[in-house]
Amino acid sequence: MRACAGLLFLLVHLLARARGQYDLCKSLVSTDEGAMWEHYACQPKSQFMKEFMRIQVEPPGITCGNPPERFCTLENPYLCSDECDASNPDLAHPPQLMQDRERSGLITYWQTVTWQRYPEPLQANITLTWNKTLELTDDIQITFEYGRPTIMVLEKSLNFGRTWQPYQYYADDCVDVFNMPARRVRDLNAANATRVICTEHYSRWVGSKNEKVVRFEVRPRFAIFAGPRLLNMEGLYTRMESMKGLRDFFTFTNLRLRLLRPALGGTYVQRDNLLKYFYAISNVEVLARCQCNLHASQCVYVDGNLQCQCEHNTTGQDCQRCKKGYKAKTWKAGSYLPTPNGSPNTCEQNTHIIGKCNCNTMGSVHDRCNSTGFCQCKDGATGVKCDECLPGYYWKQGCFPNVCDEELLLCQNGGTCYQNQRCVCAPDFKGVLCQQSRCDGGKKCNHASALTLSLALLLCPLLAILLGSATS
């Protein structure tokens, strides 16, 4: 039966680990001491983050429709029958249309005002916020209707928008606009996989209906370490641990699109028809996972925020600290190494921090709390500080078992129990409970003297009280 139970535990363990890499925090395994939890580094699955994101568009008034205005298309700039009107739900183009699911099949999109104030720049900032640290697991995709911008910058923040840093530059001429050579991600290697580049691939005019998507390429960077088809993920995870800054490169709290110049249709700005220049975004797709520092395999949406379901005695939105009662100085993110299970780096119980208990030194084993946060009492002792005795024990610089009592440990042969510590025996008897006769062995007992002695012993406390009151 024991062998069968062991095989069952092993089967459960193997099936659990077969689910995937780092998606399980612990598993029940069978050992010589019985079933025990085995802990692993773990992380949540990837998910589409657009349904959780908050969108902020700047500057105020950049969204079209207030007041209503007409706009044209780059393909047919003389057909300007379309209209944007914020007061009409069928003609409005608010920011939330960048993240809707378009279930009816009709493409919906956010749209800016047209470039009627040319030569003033037509610029817009789109800030995406999650109030949570995330890690990219696939390409970021932004779908533009009516043409991709000729100049834009993708930025990220690691501190909830307090500071920003570039993720990638986009331009039709990188040298002219950003003084950077044009590069492709596929040209990077292991030594410069985290380089911020400028690309011209997504900014040159190819027709707004043919190419709509602008990408921030994540998978090609992963492929540098995991192979073209990402079959060697262990290689990527190993580099995440050994290559400084690699994991941080894919980590962010906020994203920001800086739209600096709209699509021009492959020509210079035509001042006679500025209604065809604007930005329109129908979809922003961010595939990522919650960053839980390899201490959680689940991330849930609670009260409007993403929250790691922390394991390994950790807590916090990102599992970034030890739980109360565990060593704060020993918190450490989990590690992908050694593959395939990694190292959980579980927070350990902190005995010296919670040792502020003041245990009674005579009733407890130690003067400090044990690992559970309580005093460890000696046999017979009880109470928060081990300064009380359990039933059947009496206190005398510690707890000792009762010698006698009025219920179970009765003094025999007329003996009386004194403070549960000893039996006061009649003269003819002896023993712990007065159970032995002094008259054994041929001795003659003087019952009269025994009665006198017993009365004297009983009256002694009363006489002492009377004498004490008289002298006072």
Side-chain angles (χ1 to χ4, degrees):
M1 190 69 181
R2 185 180 181 87
C4 181
L7 289 173
L8 180 59
F9 279 124
L10 180 61
L11 178 60
V12 172
H13 170 69
L14 292 176
L15 288 175
R17 294 309 298 161
R19 292 173 56 202
Q21 281 186 316
Y22 309 109
D23 62 356
L24 196 67
C25 292
K26 60 186 179 182
S27 179
L28 198 61
V29 297
S30 180
T31 67
D32 292 338
E33 288 77 26
M36 296 182 64
W37 287 109
E38 186 173 84
H39 295 267
Y40 320 107
C42 52
Q43 61 188 5
K45 292 182 178 180
S46 301
Q47 54 185 328
F48 292 102
M49 292 293 175
K50 75 174 182 179
E51 60 182 295
F52 307 118
M53 70 185 180
R54 302 176 179 91
I55 302 176
Q56 180 181 359
V57 174
E58 299 173 312
I62 192 65
T63 300
C64 69
N66 189 19
E69 66 172 319
R70 293 183 301 112
F71 61 93
C72 314
T73 64
L74 286 167
E75 287 87 354
N76 191 351
Y78 303 103
L79 181 62
C80 300
S81 58
D82 294 322
E83 185 178 3
C84 179
D85 185 352
S87 64
N88 186 337
D90 295 329
L91 301 177
H93 296 280
Q96 59 263 32
L97 296 182
M98 286 186 269
Q99 63 184 133
D100 66 333
R101 297 190 178 183
E102 300 175 342
R103 294 175 179 172
S104 63
L106 178 66
I107 296 177
T108 59
Y109 49 90
W110 164 78
Q111 183 176 321
T112 68
V113 296
T114 58
W115 204 357
Q116 296 190 62
R117 293 187 178 181
Y118 181 86
E120 291 183 21
L122 180 61
Q123 298 180 353
N125 287 345
I126 303 169
T127 303
L128 310 178
T129 303
W130 287 270
N131 195 32
K132 177 76 181 73
T133 308
L134 304 175
E135 296 177 348
L136 288 173
T137 57
D138 209 327
D139 298 356
I140 297 174
Q141 300 184 57
I142 305 104
T143 304
F144 287 87
E145 305 295 329
Y146 302 101
R148 298 179 294 190
T150 54
I151 304 175
M152 65 173 268
V153 182
L154 176 64
E155 299 177 323
K156 75 166 184 174
S157 175
L158 281 167
N159 52 18
F160 303 97
R162 290 189 291 273
T163 60
W164 295 88
Q165 54 188 282
Y167 233 167
Q168 190 154 298
Y169 296 94
Y170 301 82
D172 55 353
D173 189 330
C174 286
V175 174
D176 180 61
V177 177
F178 296 115
N179 195 27
M180 298 174 64
R183 294 182 183 274
R184 295 290 300 271
V185 174
R186 66 188 182 190
D187 299 325
L188 300 177
N189 54 50
N192 60 10
T194 60
R195 174 176 292 178
V196 176
I197 66 170
C198 178
T199 179
E200 298 175 353
H201 180 68
Y202 301 101
S203 302
R204 293 175 177 170
W205 176 252
V206 292
S208 63
K209 291 186 177 179
N210 296 326
E211 294 290 343
K212 297 183 177 183
V213 176
V214 173
R215 296 177 183 270
F216 175 73
E217 295 170 287
V218 172
R219 290 178 67 86
R221 295 182 193 257
F222 286 169
I224 295 173
F225 309 104
R229 300 176 64 183
L230 303 185
L231 298 179
N232 182 23
M233 292 302 290
E234 287 193 2
L236 173 63
Y237 291 135
T238 299
R239 284 301 187 109
M240 288 282 192
E241 294 294 333
S242 61
M243 185 175 175
K244 185 177 181 180
L246 183 60
R247 193 190 302 187
D248 288 343
F249 181 79
F250 300 104
T251 302
F252 62 96
T253 58
N254 305 62
L255 295 174
R256 183 166 69 184
L257 281 173
R258 292 176 53 213
L259 307 177
L260 302 179
R261 192 169 69 197
L264 301 181
T267 65
Y268 295 103
V269 177
Q270 297 176 345
R271 296 182 180 224
D272 60 339
N273 190 354
L274 297 176
L275 300 183
K276 64 180 180 178
Y277 304 120
F278 53 89
Y279 305 101
I281 298 179
S282 60
N283 190 47
V284 177
E285 207 66 82
V286 180
L287 187 61
R289 69 165 55 94
C290 295
Q291 187 200 60
C292 301
N293 288 293
L294 294 176
H295 288 312
S297 61
Q298 300 290 329
C299 187
V300 297
Y301 198 59
V302 180
D303 297 329
N305 291 301
L306 289 165
Q307 171 71 55
C308 297
Q309 299 291 90
C310 301
E311 300 277 357
H312 307 155
N313 301 324
T314 62
T315 189
Q317 193 179 23
D318 300 343
C319 306
Q320 73 277 19
R321 63 181 182 271
C322 292
K323 291 171 65 175
K324 186 178 180 180
Y326 294 82
K327 292 182 180 177
K329 290 185 179 180
T330 64
W331 180 91
K332 188 177 180 182
S335 172
Y336 286 112
L337 300 178
T339 58
N341 295 335
S343 302
N345 294 329
T346 303
C347 286
E348 298 177 357
Q349 289 182 326
N350 194 353
T351 55
H352 71 271
I353 288 181
I354 58 175
K356 297 168 184 177
C357 289
N358 194 24
C359 303
N360 188 293
T361 56
M362 292 178 286
S364 65
V365 177
H366 304 288
D367 60 349
R368 300 181 305 170
C369 299
N370 62 15
S371 59
T372 64
F374 298 94
C375 298
Q376 183 177 354
C377 298
K378 295 178 180 177
D379 289 343
T382 187
V384 176
K385 298 181 180 180
C386 302
D387 55 356
E388 301 174 19
C389 292
L390 292 169
Y393 291 81
Y394 69 93
W395 181 268
K396 187 177 182 181
Q397 295 184 334
C399 293
F400 296 88
N402 289 348
V403 173
C404 56
D405 56 34
E406 300 299 327
E407 296 179 3
L408 298 176
L409 301 173
L410 298 175
C411 297
Q412 302 175 24
N413 298 307
T416 58
C417 185
Y418 178 70
Q419 295 183 349
N420 293 43
Q421 299 176 28
R422 60 187 177 90
C423 286
V424 178
C425 301
D428 293 342
F429 296 92
K430 62 180 181 179
V432 176
L433 296 176
C434 306
Q435 72 275 23
Q436 297 179 6
S437 173
R438 293 181 182 273
C439 304
D440 294 337
K443 294 182 180 179
K444 292 183 179 180
C445 294
N446 188 337
H447 295 286
S449 61
L451 179 60
T452 302
L453 182 59
S454 297
L455 290 173
L457 288 173
L458 291 173
L459 291 174
C460 276
L462 179 60
L463 290 173
I465 293 173
L466 292 174
L467 288 173
S469 61
T471 55
S472 62

